[in-house]
């Protein structure tokens, strides 16, 4: 505890020192005083975020104080960034996720998927990966990993008890299974949770950060809809999940998983039986979940060649007033108002629940700090434009990325990936996306070519337990050592960077730029 306190003090003082030095140093050529002050704030926040000198939410609140004090923006303009509509997209999506978790619909859905894929060892690894990735599209990767974690551990332990290697049941064979299948399945959970989260705008916080910063930095560009993001990100997931599964089962596993036989199918059936029939609340949650996905995907027209499928927002007089956040909040509020079983209510863990979702649950479990972090990131983006720092950086970055586009994108992916191994992916995205946006403009390249791969790469850090919450959760199983995770994760970091680079070059121009 004392070491942590000293480290925090060092980080805080380092940030303040750099802040003061930038304010006192001679004005760089071509930079105005407002841009210099903004640059000092950016470095202060970057150091505090990367070094984790204090909570990332506390650092995100600094613009509310420093922007007005240093004459960059008035308080009321700064504060409006903390109520950006994309913050409510995340809040509404999280409310839906809380309702799904509250009534265990996510667990039933995951077990259905696993049972459908099959229950021999290799297939069960794939089933867990598909289920976890799908859940992470709609709920946090932390929640999806936590939900699947005990089921996965039970499967491994049951196989260890039932297995007979070389015709002999013994302790060493059980240890071999936990260190083999246990290692593979734990890594599969963590990695698929991170990979699946990039599929949708609400799947992981960096996606929300990107959407907000892109619109703030380039207000004349059209925003990217829920459907358009999925057309780019979902193919990445559909390629990456099978590659990860093949790599884990064939390369990382210390022995062929086909050697194993056990009672994993009985465990899955037992888990499903314990859930019983779907309750009324689960059915309501399932309906709202499907309706929300439908409304998000089909809000704006979908154009495929000469065929145009009209979006439902076009039926309203002011369709431009409707956003994905409108849908998210409408569905979230609907869950708070929808009776779960009329005047009778439903029993949940010995307590009668009257509504599908209650505000007490929302208040207790919503990651308010992340919402504040979003606001801080959007405030930074606004400060870049208001101070003129964006124009100065664009001029100074001219020529920095004179490499071929494919090499530039690959380097961006690698830098962001390995930086995220040591820092919060949300903080990393918040810091680096405005810089990449300005660099793209200075290189006469559409900013999506730099910002989108950085956003995706921020979720693809697989080497260290501290890199992502899913990594930390599965590391707690005791079946994974840091060297094993690092060795497996290093290869996937590189594969992920290559997949994202390829997707960027092949899909962005076709799927996003031409249709925006």
């Amino acid at each position: 505890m004392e070491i942590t306190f000293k480290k925090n003090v060092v980080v805080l003082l380092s940030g303040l020192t750099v802040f003061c030095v930038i304010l006192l140093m001679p004005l760089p050529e071509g930079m105005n005083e407002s841009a210099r002050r903004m640059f000092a704030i950016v470095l202060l926040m970057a150091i505090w975020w990367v070094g984790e000198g204090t909570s990332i939410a506390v650092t995100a609140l600094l613009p509310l104080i420093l922007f007005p004090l240093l004459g960059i923006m008035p308080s009321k303009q700064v504060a409006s960034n903390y109520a950006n509509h994309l913050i409510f997209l995340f809040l509404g999506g999280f409310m839906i996720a809380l309702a799904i978790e509250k009534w265990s619909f996510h667990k039933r859905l995951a077990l259905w998927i696993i049972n459908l894929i099959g229950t021999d060892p290799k297939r069960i690894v794939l089933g867990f990966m598909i289920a976890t990735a799908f859940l992470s599209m709609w709920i946090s990767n932390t929640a999806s990993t936590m939900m699947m974690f005990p089921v996965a551990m039970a499967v491994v332990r049951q196989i260890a008890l039932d297995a007979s290697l070389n015709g002999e049941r013994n302790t060493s064979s059980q240890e071999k299974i936990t260190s083999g299948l246990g290692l593979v399945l734990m890594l599969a959970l963590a990695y698929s949770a991170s990979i699946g989260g990039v599929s949708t705008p609400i799947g992981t916080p960096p996606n929300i950060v990107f959407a907000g910063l892109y619109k703030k930095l380039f207000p004349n560009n059209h925003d990217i809809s829920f459907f358009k993001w999925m057309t780019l990100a979902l193919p990445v997931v559909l390629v990456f999940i099978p590659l990860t599964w093949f790599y884990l089962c064939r390369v990382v596993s210390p022995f062929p998983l086909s050697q194993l036989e056990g009672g994993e199918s009985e465990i899955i059936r037992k888990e499903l039986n314990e859930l019983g029939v779907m309750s009324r609340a689960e059915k309501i949650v399932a309906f709202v979940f499907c309706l929300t996905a439908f409304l998000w995907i089909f809000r704006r027209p979908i154009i495929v060649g000469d065929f145009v499928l009209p979006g439902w927002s076009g039926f309203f007089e002011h369709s431009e007033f409707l956003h994905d956040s409108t849908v998210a909040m409408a569905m979230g509020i609907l869950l708070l108002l929808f009776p779960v079983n009329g005047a009778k209510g439903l029993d949940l863990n010995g307590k009668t629940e009257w509504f599908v979702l209650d505000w007490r649950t929302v208040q207790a479990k919503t990651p308010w700090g992340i919402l504040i972090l979003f606001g801080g990131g959007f405030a930074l983006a606004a400060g870049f434009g208001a101070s003129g720092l964006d124009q100065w950086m664009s001029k100074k970055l001219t020529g920095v990325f004179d490499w071929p586009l494919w090499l530039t994108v690959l380097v961006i992916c690698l830098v962001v990936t390995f930086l995220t191994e040591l820092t919060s992916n949300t903080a990393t995205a918040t810091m680096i996306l405005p810089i990449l946006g300005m660099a793209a403009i200075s290189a006469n390249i559409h900013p999506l070519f730099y910002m989108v791969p950085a956003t995706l790469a921020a979720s693809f850090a697989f080497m260290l337990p501290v890199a992502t919450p899913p990594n930390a959760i599965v590391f707690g199983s005791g079946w994974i050592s840091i060297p094993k995770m690092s060795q497996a994760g290093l290869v996937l970091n590189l594969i992920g960077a290559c997949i994202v680079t390829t997707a960027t070059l092949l899909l962005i121009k076709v799927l996003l730029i031409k249709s925006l």
Side-chain angles (χ1 to χ4, degrees):
M1 185 66 71
E2 182 180 351
I3 295 176
T4 302
F5 174 75
K6 289 181 178 179
K7 175 241 182 186
N8 290 348
V9 171
V10 169
V11 171
L12 293 173
L13 291 178
S14 298
L16 290 172
T17 300
V18 171
F19 175 75
C20 294
V21 168
I22 297 297
L23 291 179
L24 295 174
M25 68 183 291
L27 197 64
E29 181 183 355
M31 178 183 280
N32 60 46
E33 182 60 34
S34 181
R36 191 247 291 274
R37 294 172 180 175
M38 182 65 201
F39 187 52
I41 295 172
V42 170
L43 291 181
L44 168 64
M45 296 178 68
I47 292 170
W48 283 12
W49 269 333
V50 173
E52 297 181 334
T54 184
S55 167
I56 57 175
V58 173
T59 303
L61 290 170
L62 289 179
L64 284 167
I65 304 169
L66 297 179
F67 281 15
L69 284 177
L70 298 180
I72 295 173
M73 290 174 67
S75 293
K76 64 180 181 180
Q77 290 185 19
V78 183
S80 65
N81 291 284
Y82 293 82
N84 186 288
H85 73 93
L86 290 169
I87 294 176
F88 290 95
L89 169 62
F90 185 82
L91 176 60
F94 203 82
M95 290 165 66
I96 296 168
L98 287 176
I100 290 173
E101 292 178 49
K102 178 178 178 179
W103 298 100
S104 296
F105 176 65
H106 61 320
K107 185 173 183 179
R108 186 185 300 275
L109 189 61
L111 292 173
W112 278 343
I113 294 172
I114 295 169
N115 202 41
L116 179 66
I117 299 297
T119 54
D120 69 80
K122 285 192 294 186
R123 287 195 175 191
I124 205 166
V125 171
L126 180 61
F128 270 98
M129 292 185 71
I130 293 174
T132 306
F134 180 78
L135 290 174
S136 293
M137 293 170 62
W138 313 101
I139 67 177
S140 74
N141 55 14
T142 306
S144 60
T145 308
M146 281 297 298
M147 188 274 295
M148 302 299 293
F149 180 66
V151 181
M153 289 195 72
V155 167
V156 174
R157 285 170 176 156
Q158 186 62 46
I159 294 177
L161 290 174
D162 294 347
S164 177
L165 299 179
N166 298 319
E168 183 180 353
R169 297 174 184 265
N170 53 51
T171 303
S172 63
S173 67
Q174 295 178 13
E175 292 176 354
K176 185 176 180 181
I177 292 170
T178 55
S179 63
L181 178 61
L183 168 70
V184 170
L185 193 50
M186 291 299 107
L187 291 177
L189 285 185
Y191 295 164
S192 57
S194 296
I195 294 169
V198 306
S199 305
T200 64
I202 66 165
T204 185
N207 294 1
I208 295 286
V209 171
F210 158 75
L213 292 180
Y214 179 70
K215 192 60 179 175
K216 281 283 183 182
L217 293 170
F218 310 105
N220 294 327
N221 292 1
H222 293 288
D223 60 346
I224 297 176
S225 68
F226 200 97
F227 176 77
K228 284 298 178 185
W229 178 264
M230 288 190 69
T231 59
L232 172 71
L234 192 56
V236 172
V237 175
L238 294 178
V239 171
F240 206 178
I241 288 291
L243 282 177
T244 303
W245 171 67
F246 180 85
Y247 170 68
L248 291 176
C249 291
R250 292 296 182 91
V251 179
V252 175
S253 177
F255 60 88
L257 297 183
S258 57
Q259 292 180 3
L260 304 180
E261 294 180 2
E264 60 271 21
S265 58
E266 286 75 11
I267 297 174
I268 302 302
R269 284 195 291 269
K270 179 182 177 183
E271 293 279 347
L272 280 170
N273 290 336
E274 288 179 355
L275 289 175
V277 297
M278 285 187 69
S279 67
R280 176 184 171 87
E282 277 189 88
K283 293 176 182 178
I284 295 171
V285 168
F287 173 76
V288 172
F289 169 72
C290 294
L291 178 61
T292 304
F294 176 86
L295 293 176
W296 272 334
I297 294 170
F298 296 102
R299 178 176 65 86
R300 291 174 59 179
I302 296 175
I303 303 173
V304 181
D306 296 329
F307 175 76
V308 179
L309 180 65
W312 60 264
S313 62
F315 295 108
F316 293 83
E317 181 180 358
H318 296 287
S319 60
E320 70 277 10
F321 291 178
L322 299 169
H323 298 276
D324 291 332
S325 54
T326 312
V327 175
M329 290 308 302
M331 295 297 103
I333 292 173
L334 177 63
L335 291 170
L336 287 166
L337 300 177
F338 206 105
V340 72
N341 193 23
K344 297 180 180 178
L346 276 182
D347 180 75
L348 181 65
N349 299 323
K351 183 178 179 182
T352 302
E353 295 286 346
W354 306 104
F355 297 95
V356 179
L357 183 64
D358 60 276
W359 183 251
R360 182 182 64 257
T361 301
V362 176
Q363 190 173 23
K365 295 188 177 182
T366 296
W368 301 106
I370 295 295
L371 299 183
I372 293 174
L373 177 61
F374 290 157
F378 300 155
L380 273 182
F384 269 85
S387 66
L389 182 60
D390 56 347
Q391 298 177 9
W392 181 83
M393 290 186 68
S394 294
K395 294 176 182 177
K396 293 299 179 182
L397 289 170
T398 301
V400 171
F401 293 121
D402 283 340
W403 306 328
L405 180 59
W406 70 267
L407 181 58
T408 302
V409 173
L410 179 61
V411 170
I412 288 172
C413 290
L414 292 173
V415 169
V416 172
T417 296
F418 287 100
L419 182 60
T420 305
E421 292 287 355
L422 301 172
T423 64
S424 158
N425 61 357
T426 311
T428 300
T430 304
M431 289 185 299
I432 205 167
L433 287 179
I435 298 173
L436 291 176
M438 296 304 102
I441 295 300
S442 69
N444 294 317
I445 292 174
H446 197 288
L448 288 178
F449 278 104
Y450 287 1
M451 298 179 72
V452 168
T455 303
L456 295 172
S459 295
F460 292 166
F462 305 117
M463 288 179 61
L464 298 175
V466 298
T468 64
N471 287 10
I473 291 168
V474 301
F475 184 74
S477 67
W479 297 337
I480 306 173
S481 65
I482 290 181
K484 283 287 187 181
M485 179 177 281
S486 298
Q487 291 167 14
L490 175 60
V491 175
L492 287 177
N493 280 5
L494 300 176
I495 292 174
C498 292
I499 292 174
V500 171
T501 300
T502 304
T504 298
L505 299 177
L506 294 180
L507 299 178
I508 284 185
K509 189 173 182 179
V510 175
L511 297 178
L512 297 183
I513 295 178
K514 283 188 176 181
S515 60
L516 291 178

